[in-house]
Amino acid sequence: MATEEIYAQTAQNKVRRYGPRGVYDHDRVHNIINAASLVHVAFNPPALDGEDQFPVILPMLGAMGTFISASPSSEAEPHVYLHGSSAARLMRMGGDAPTGLAICIEATLLDGYVLALTPFSHSCNYRSAVVFGNARLLTDAEERLWAMELITNNTIPDRWANSRVPPTKSELTATAILKVRIVSASAKQRAGGPHDDRKDLKDGEMRKKVWTGVVPVHEALGEPIASPDNLVENVPSYVTGWVEQANVTTKSHAVDRANDP
Protein backbone atom coordinates (compact mmCIF):
# COMPACT_ATOMS: atom_id res chain seq x y z
CA MET A 1 0.00 0.00 0.00
CA ALA A 2 1.44 3.37 -1.05
CA THR A 3 2.34 5.85 1.67
CA GLU A 4 0.58 9.20 1.44
CA GLU A 5 3.06 11.96 0.69
CA ILE A 6 2.89 14.89 3.09
CA TYR A 7 4.48 18.35 3.05
CA ALA A 8 6.32 18.83 6.34
CA GLN A 9 4.79 21.49 8.57
CA THR A 10 7.17 24.40 9.00
CA ALA A 11 6.93 27.96 10.24
CA GLN A 12 6.45 28.92 6.61
CA ASN A 13 3.50 26.74 5.58
CA LYS A 14 1.78 25.82 8.86
CA VAL A 15 -1.92 26.79 9.03
CA ARG A 16 -2.33 28.70 12.29
CA ARG A 17 -5.82 30.17 12.22
CA TYR A 18 -8.28 27.25 12.51
CA GLY A 19 -5.38 24.83 12.41
CA PRO A 20 -7.54 21.67 12.11
CA ARG A 21 -8.68 22.91 8.69
CA GLY A 22 -5.12 22.68 7.42
CA VAL A 23 -4.11 19.73 5.26
CA TYR A 24 -0.65 18.94 3.96
CA ASP A 25 -0.91 15.91 1.71
CA HIS A 26 0.44 16.34 -1.80
CA ASP A 27 -2.68 15.21 -3.65
CA ARG A 28 -4.96 17.68 -1.90
CA VAL A 29 -2.66 20.62 -2.59
CA HIS A 30 -1.98 19.62 -6.19
CA ASN A 31 -5.65 18.96 -6.98
CA ILE A 32 -6.68 22.44 -5.77
CA ILE A 33 -3.99 24.06 -7.92
CA ASN A 34 -5.12 22.11 -10.97
CA ALA A 35 -8.84 22.73 -10.34
CA ALA A 36 -8.47 26.52 -10.14
CA SER A 37 -9.22 28.48 -13.31
CA LEU A 38 -6.44 30.90 -12.37
CA VAL A 39 -3.70 30.91 -9.79
CA HIS A 40 -2.26 34.03 -8.17
CA VAL A 41 1.50 34.43 -8.06
CA ALA A 42 3.23 36.75 -5.59
CA PHE A 43 6.83 37.92 -5.83
CA ASN A 44 9.07 40.81 -4.79
CA PRO A 45 10.19 42.91 -7.77
CA PRO A 46 13.46 44.82 -7.73
CA ALA A 47 13.26 48.29 -6.20
CA LEU A 48 13.01 51.18 -8.63
CA ASP A 49 14.86 54.45 -8.07
CA GLY A 50 12.79 56.92 -6.10
CA GLU A 51 9.81 54.57 -5.67
CA ASP A 52 8.65 52.45 -2.77
CA GLN A 53 8.91 48.72 -3.29
CA PHE A 54 5.66 46.78 -3.06
CA PRO A 55 4.99 43.05 -3.45
CA VAL A 56 3.32 42.12 -6.73
CA ILE A 57 0.50 39.58 -7.23
CA LEU A 58 -0.43 38.41 -10.72
CA PRO A 59 -3.23 36.13 -11.98
CA MET A 60 -1.74 33.43 -14.21
CA LEU A 61 -2.49 30.14 -15.91
CA GLY A 62 -0.67 27.25 -14.33
CA ALA A 63 -0.77 23.52 -13.69
CA MET A 64 0.91 20.84 -11.60
CA GLY A 65 2.69 18.03 -13.38
CA THR A 66 5.65 15.67 -13.40
CA PHE A 67 7.85 15.67 -16.48
CA ILE A 68 9.48 12.33 -17.19
CA SER A 69 12.59 12.63 -19.34
CA ALA A 70 14.96 10.05 -20.74
CA SER A 71 17.79 11.98 -19.14
CA PRO A 72 19.07 10.29 -15.95
CA SER A 73 19.55 13.71 -14.34
CA SER A 74 15.93 14.78 -14.77
CA GLU A 75 13.80 15.57 -11.69
CA ALA A 76 10.94 13.08 -11.56
CA GLU A 77 8.89 15.06 -9.09
CA PRO A 78 5.85 17.34 -9.42
CA HIS A 79 6.42 20.99 -10.23
CA VAL A 80 4.14 23.93 -10.88
CA TYR A 81 4.36 25.23 -14.43
CA LEU A 82 3.31 28.84 -15.11
CA HIS A 83 2.51 30.24 -18.55
CA GLY A 84 3.21 33.82 -19.61
CA SER A 85 4.71 36.20 -22.10
CA SER A 86 8.47 36.03 -22.58
CA ALA A 87 8.46 39.83 -22.27
CA ALA A 88 6.84 39.80 -18.83
CA ARG A 89 8.90 41.03 -15.87
CA LEU A 90 8.27 37.89 -13.83
CA MET A 91 9.54 35.67 -16.62
CA ARG A 92 12.68 37.76 -17.07
CA MET A 93 13.32 37.64 -13.32
CA GLY A 94 12.97 33.85 -13.38
CA GLY A 95 15.62 33.71 -16.05
CA ASP A 96 18.01 35.96 -14.14
CA ALA A 97 17.80 34.21 -10.73
CA PRO A 98 20.67 31.67 -10.54
CA THR A 99 19.08 29.69 -7.70
CA GLY A 100 15.48 30.36 -8.70
CA LEU A 101 13.15 33.25 -7.94
CA ALA A 102 11.31 32.94 -4.61
CA ILE A 103 7.56 33.10 -5.29
CA CYS A 104 4.28 32.18 -3.62
CA ILE A 105 1.38 30.62 -5.53
CA GLU A 106 -2.20 30.67 -4.23
CA ALA A 107 -5.44 29.13 -5.48
CA THR A 108 -8.92 29.27 -3.94
CA LEU A 109 -12.13 27.43 -4.84
CA LEU A 110 -15.27 28.93 -3.29
CA ASP A 111 -17.88 26.25 -2.53
CA GLY A 112 -20.57 28.16 -0.66
CA TYR A 113 -21.74 31.09 1.45
CA VAL A 114 -22.56 30.03 4.99
CA LEU A 115 -25.38 32.09 6.56
CA ALA A 116 -25.54 31.92 10.35
CA LEU A 117 -27.78 33.55 12.96
CA THR A 118 -25.37 36.46 13.44
CA PRO A 119 -23.05 38.22 10.98
CA PHE A 120 -20.11 37.32 13.22
CA SER A 121 -20.72 33.62 12.61
CA HIS A 122 -21.17 33.88 8.84
CA SER A 123 -18.52 32.02 6.86
CA CYS A 124 -17.69 30.40 3.53
CA ASN A 125 -17.06 26.86 2.40
CA TYR A 126 -13.84 26.80 0.44
CA ARG A 127 -10.70 24.94 -0.57
CA SER A 128 -7.45 26.85 -0.84
CA ALA A 129 -3.80 26.01 -1.40
CA VAL A 130 -0.61 27.99 -0.90
CA VAL A 131 2.68 26.90 -2.46
CA PHE A 132 6.10 28.34 -1.71
CA GLY A 133 8.74 27.62 -4.31
CA ASN A 134 11.65 28.66 -6.48
CA ALA A 135 10.87 29.54 -10.09
CA ARG A 136 13.24 29.22 -13.01
CA LEU A 137 12.70 30.01 -16.66
CA LEU A 138 12.28 26.72 -18.50
CA THR A 139 14.71 26.42 -21.42
CA ASP A 140 14.62 22.72 -22.32
CA ALA A 141 12.70 22.53 -25.63
CA GLU A 142 11.11 19.13 -24.94
CA GLU A 143 9.91 20.04 -21.48
CA ARG A 144 8.66 23.48 -22.61
CA LEU A 145 6.43 21.88 -25.24
CA TRP A 146 5.23 19.28 -22.72
CA ALA A 147 4.42 22.04 -20.20
CA MET A 148 2.46 24.03 -22.80
CA GLU A 149 0.38 20.95 -23.55
CA LEU A 150 -0.08 20.27 -19.82
CA ILE A 151 -1.37 23.78 -19.12
CA THR A 152 -3.60 23.82 -22.22
CA ASN A 153 -5.24 20.48 -21.42
CA ASN A 154 -5.56 21.31 -17.72
CA THR A 155 -7.62 24.34 -18.76
CA ILE A 156 -9.64 22.62 -21.51
CA PRO A 157 -9.24 18.83 -21.70
CA ASP A 158 -8.03 17.50 -25.08
CA ARG A 159 -7.70 21.00 -26.54
CA TRP A 160 -4.02 20.64 -27.46
CA ALA A 161 -4.59 17.74 -29.88
CA ASN A 162 -7.63 19.52 -31.33
CA SER A 163 -5.75 22.73 -32.13
CA ARG A 164 -3.15 23.74 -34.69
CA VAL A 165 0.02 22.29 -33.20
CA PRO A 166 2.93 22.33 -32.73
CA PRO A 167 3.42 26.05 -32.06
CA THR A 168 5.36 28.06 -34.62
CA LYS A 169 8.86 29.35 -33.92
CA SER A 170 7.51 32.87 -33.31
CA GLU A 171 4.87 31.54 -30.90
CA LEU A 172 7.50 29.63 -28.97
CA THR A 173 9.68 32.73 -28.82
CA ALA A 174 6.80 34.84 -27.49
CA THR A 175 5.85 32.29 -24.82
CA ALA A 176 7.69 31.65 -21.56
CA ILE A 177 7.21 28.91 -18.99
CA LEU A 178 8.31 29.12 -15.38
CA LYS A 179 9.08 25.83 -13.66
CA VAL A 180 8.52 26.07 -9.91
CA ARG A 181 10.21 23.65 -7.52
CA ILE A 182 8.02 23.35 -4.44
CA VAL A 183 9.78 24.08 -1.15
CA SER A 184 6.68 23.83 1.07
CA ALA A 185 2.92 23.93 0.69
CA SER A 186 -0.35 23.52 2.54
CA ALA A 187 -4.08 23.57 1.92
CA LYS A 188 -6.96 24.83 4.01
CA GLN A 189 -10.62 23.99 3.66
CA ARG A 190 -14.03 24.36 5.25
CA ALA A 191 -17.24 22.44 4.65
CA GLY A 192 -20.64 22.10 6.28
CA GLY A 193 -23.24 24.44 7.69
CA PRO A 194 -23.09 27.35 10.14
CA HIS A 195 -21.57 27.01 13.59
CA ASP A 196 -23.78 29.19 15.77
CA ASP A 197 -23.20 30.18 19.37
CA ARG A 198 -24.99 27.91 21.83
CA LYS A 199 -26.67 30.90 23.44
CA ASP A 200 -28.15 31.94 20.09
CA LEU A 201 -29.32 28.41 19.36
CA LYS A 202 -31.37 28.50 22.58
CA ASP A 203 -33.24 31.59 21.33
CA GLY A 204 -36.21 29.93 19.62
CA GLU A 205 -37.87 33.21 18.62
CA MET A 206 -34.77 34.42 16.80
CA ARG A 207 -34.36 31.07 15.05
CA LYS A 208 -37.91 31.45 13.68
CA LYS A 209 -37.01 34.83 12.16
CA VAL A 210 -33.45 34.31 10.85
CA TRP A 211 -32.89 31.80 8.05
CA THR A 212 -29.64 29.88 8.32
CA GLY A 213 -27.97 27.52 5.92
CA VAL A 214 -25.62 27.35 2.97
CA VAL A 215 -25.91 28.84 -0.51
CA PRO A 216 -23.72 26.58 -2.69
CA VAL A 217 -21.33 28.34 -5.07
CA HIS A 218 -19.90 26.72 -8.16
CA GLU A 219 -18.33 27.83 -11.41
CA ALA A 220 -20.67 27.27 -14.36
CA LEU A 221 -19.57 27.00 -17.99
CA GLY A 222 -21.98 28.50 -20.50
CA GLU A 223 -23.12 27.35 -23.93
CA PRO A 224 -20.21 27.49 -26.41
CA ILE A 225 -20.51 30.42 -28.86
CA ALA A 226 -18.85 30.02 -32.24
CA SER A 227 -16.46 32.71 -33.41
CA PRO A 228 -17.23 34.68 -36.59
CA ASP A 229 -14.35 32.85 -38.31
CA ASN A 230 -15.44 29.36 -37.25
CA LEU A 231 -16.19 26.93 -40.09
CA VAL A 232 -16.92 23.82 -37.98
CA GLU A 233 -20.65 23.14 -38.22
CA ASN A 234 -21.17 21.56 -34.80
CA VAL A 235 -19.45 22.14 -31.48
CA PRO A 236 -17.03 19.19 -31.02
CA SER A 237 -18.02 16.55 -28.50
CA TYR A 238 -14.87 17.05 -26.44
CA VAL A 239 -16.01 20.66 -25.83
CA THR A 240 -19.68 19.89 -25.11
CA GLY A 241 -18.70 16.92 -22.96
CA TRP A 242 -16.25 19.02 -20.98
CA VAL A 243 -18.85 21.75 -20.37
CA GLU A 244 -21.50 19.25 -19.29
CA GLN A 245 -19.23 17.20 -17.03
CA ALA A 246 -17.57 20.22 -15.46
CA ASN A 247 -20.92 21.78 -14.55
CA VAL A 248 -22.21 18.54 -13.01
CA THR A 249 -19.00 18.01 -11.06
CA THR A 250 -18.64 21.52 -9.63
CA LYS A 251 -22.31 21.76 -8.67
CA SER A 252 -22.44 18.37 -6.96
CA HIS A 253 -19.20 19.12 -5.14
CA ALA A 254 -20.54 22.41 -3.77
CA VAL A 255 -23.77 20.74 -2.62
CA ASP A 256 -21.91 17.82 -1.05
CA ARG A 257 -19.65 20.19 0.90
CA ALA A 258 -22.69 22.15 2.13
CA ASN A 259 -24.14 18.91 3.52
CA ASP A 260 -20.92 17.78 5.19
CA PRO A 261 -21.50 17.28 8.92
Side-chain angles (χ1 to χ4, degrees):
M1 184 175 179
T3 303
E4 186 177 51
E5 293 186 279
I6 302 291
Y7 286 109
Q9 293 186 42
T10 66
Q12 186 178 63
N13 72 334
K14 184 176 181 179
V15 176
R16 292 174 173 78
R17 180 67 173 165
Y18 295 114
R21 295 181 184 176
V23 288
Y24 302 88
D25 63 277
H26 286 199
D27 285 347
R28 199 78 60 91
V29 172
H30 300 177
N31 288 341
I32 292 172
I33 295 293
N34 280 336
S37 298
L38 292 169
V39 297
H40 288 87
V41 181
F43 62 99
N44 288 315
L48 299 175
D49 291 341
E51 294 188 12
D52 292 333
Q53 182 180 8
F54 293 96
V56 173
I57 300 176
L58 299 176
M60 299 184 72
L61 290 175
M64 293 283 317
T66 302
F67 177 70
I68 306 297
S69 171
S71 171
S73 62
S74 63
E75 304 169 277
E77 61 180 90
H79 289 74
V80 183
Y81 293 87
L82 301 172
H83 174 282
S85 166
S86 57
R89 173 176 54 177
L90 176 59
M91 299 300 180
R92 296 198 309 270
M93 291 174 64
D96 293 338
T99 59
L101 176 68
I103 67 172
C104 180
I105 302 169
E106 190 276 342
T108 296
L109 306 171
L110 180 62
D111 294 316
Y113 292 107
V114 181
L115 282 62
L117 289 170
T118 68
F120 178 80
S121 296
H122 280 46
S123 189
C124 290
N125 287 339
Y126 62 90
R127 290 160 287 153
S128 65
V130 175
V131 172
F132 301 92
N134 295 316
R136 290 180 176 174
L137 190 65
L138 189 55
T139 57
D140 179 79
E142 180 187 6
E143 189 172 1
R144 284 188 76 222
L145 200 61
W146 174 87
M148 291 177 187
E149 181 174 358
L150 171 74
I151 295 169
T152 300
N153 288 339
N154 186 67
T155 305
I156 305 171
D158 299 324
R159 185 59 180 175
W160 183 266
N162 288 281
S163 303
R164 192 265 293 147
V165 289
T168 64
K169 183 178 180 179
S170 61
E171 289 171 340
L172 290 172
T173 300
T175 304
I177 301 292
L178 281 182
K179 180 179 181 179
V180 184
R181 182 183 66 83
I182 301 174
V183 175
S184 66
S186 61
K188 189 177 181 182
Q189 58 188 20
R190 185 200 190 278
H195 300 154
D196 281 299
D197 190 280
R198 290 183 180 180
K199 181 180 66 176
D200 290 328
L201 290 172
K202 293 178 180 179
D203 189 336
E205 290 302 312
M206 180 174 63
R207 291 174 62 191
K208 291 177 182 178
K209 296 177 182 178
V210 180
W211 186 89
T212 61
V214 178
V215 180
V217 176
H218 54 92
E219 187 175 66
L221 302 179
E223 285 291 324
I225 301 172
S227 79
D229 299 322
N230 173 69
L231 296 179
V232 179
E233 184 175 353
N234 298 313
V235 181
S237 59
Y238 77 91
V239 175
T240 58
W242 162 58
V243 170
E244 181 179 354
Q245 185 58 52
N247 286 341
V248 169
T249 300
T250 55
K251 182 176 182 178
S252 63
H253 194 96
V255 172
D256 288 346
R257 292 185 68 79
N259 291 321
D260 267 4

